[in-house]
Amino acid sequence: MKIGILSDSHLKSDYTKEVIDFLKEIKSDYLVHAGDLCVEKNLKLLEESELKYIAVFGNNDRYLLDLTSTYNIKQEPYYFKIKDTTFKLMHLPYYLTPDSDVVIFGHTHIFECDYKNNTLYINPGEVCAREKPLIECVQLEIKENEYIISRYFKNINEINFTKEEKKYER
């Protein structure tokens, strides 16, 4: 199972579309957005991807609160399950407790990946290239005994994404 993870799109719908298209191209089965979508256009892009997706509200998403019945966007922390793996999704890194197999968060605009106490913690970085001139996302591949975390990033002026990979035994 492959899960495309993104966060902090802010007003950069063109970058969000580019990331979603890329995550589809590398065969992601699901999309997870860790908040700060900021505009409905970014939610529409998730919806139009035709992949199953989930998103949470970020601290800059107050204008999207009325759209919960239109899109699959939830309050944080949001717990869900895909196959046999449990997830906790949030924007603000306030609930970083090991009560799920995978904890996904955003807000800091910095890629993070750590495996401790049998919990995988992932922050995919930023789509919006606000803090640095990089567009970032992650693909999490979950195998029976292994997590493979592929971080993808590219300079806003480049065409291709660069890949860095980490693996953890489950």
Side-chain angles (χ1 to χ4, degrees), residues 81-119:
K81 189 173 186 177
I82 302 175
K83 298 188 180 176
D84 294 330
T85 304
T86 59
F87 294 83
K88 178 168 54 176
L89 175 61
M90 71 198 88
H91 180 66
L92 297 169
Y94 292 159
Y95 312 98
L96 296 178
T97 54
D99 55 352
S100 299
D101 298 318
V102 180
V103 175
I104 299 170
F105 62 101
H107 185 65
T108 65
H109 295 239
I110 299 170
F111 169 76
E112 291 183 53
C113 181
D114 194 17
Y115 187 65
K116 57 186 174 194
N117 299 324
N118 295 318
T119 298

Side-chain angles (χ1 to χ4, degrees), residues 5-112:
I5 305 171
L6 58 159
S7 186
D8 294 280
S9 293
H10 290 267
L11 303 175
K12 299 294 187 172
S13 296
D14 51 342
Y15 295 169
T16 302
K17 180 173 180 7
E18 186 175 355
V19 165
I20 290 170
D21 289 347
F22 175 74
L23 290 168
K24 285 179 66 172
E25 182 182 311
I26 60 171
K27 308 290 186 220
S28 296
D29 302 304
Y30 303 89
L31 294 175
V32 174
H33 197 295
D36 273 1
L37 294 114
C38 296
V39 292
E40 185 177 5
K41 173 73 173 167
N42 289 328
L43 281 165
K44 282 183 183 175
L45 291 168
L46 288 169
E47 186 81 23
E48 292 167 356
S49 74
E50 298 182 359
L51 294 177
K52 291 181 182 177
Y53 76 92
I54 185 70
V56 290
F57 293 104
N59 59 300
N60 290 299
D61 291 335
R62 62 190 159 279
Y63 301 110
L64 303 177
L65 291 172
D66 293 339
L67 300 175
T68 54
S69 61
T70 307
Y71 300 100
N72 197 15
I73 186 166
K74 309 290 183 184
Q75 296 288 341
E76 64 175 353
Y78 182 71
Y79 292 86
F80 62 100
K81 189 173 186 177
I82 302 175
K83 298 188 180 176
D84 294 330
T85 304
T86 59
F87 294 83
K88 178 168 54 176
L89 175 61
M90 71 198 88
H91 180 66
L92 297 169
Y94 292 159
Y95 312 98
L96 296 178
T97 54
D99 55 352
S100 299
D101 298 318
V102 180
V103 175
I104 299 170
F105 62 101
H107 185 65
T108 65
H109 295 239
I110 299 170
F111 169 76
E112 291 183 53

Side-chain angles (χ1 to χ4, degrees), residues 1-2 85 140-148 165 167-170:
M1 159 173 63
K2 295 179 180 179
T85 304
L140 168 61
E141 184 173 359
I142 300 175
K143 296 189 172 189
E144 186 176 336
N145 298 313
E146 181 179 50
Y147 291 120
I148 302 169
E165 190 174 273
K167 295 181 181 185
Y168 297 105
E169 277 186 44
R170 289 183 72 184

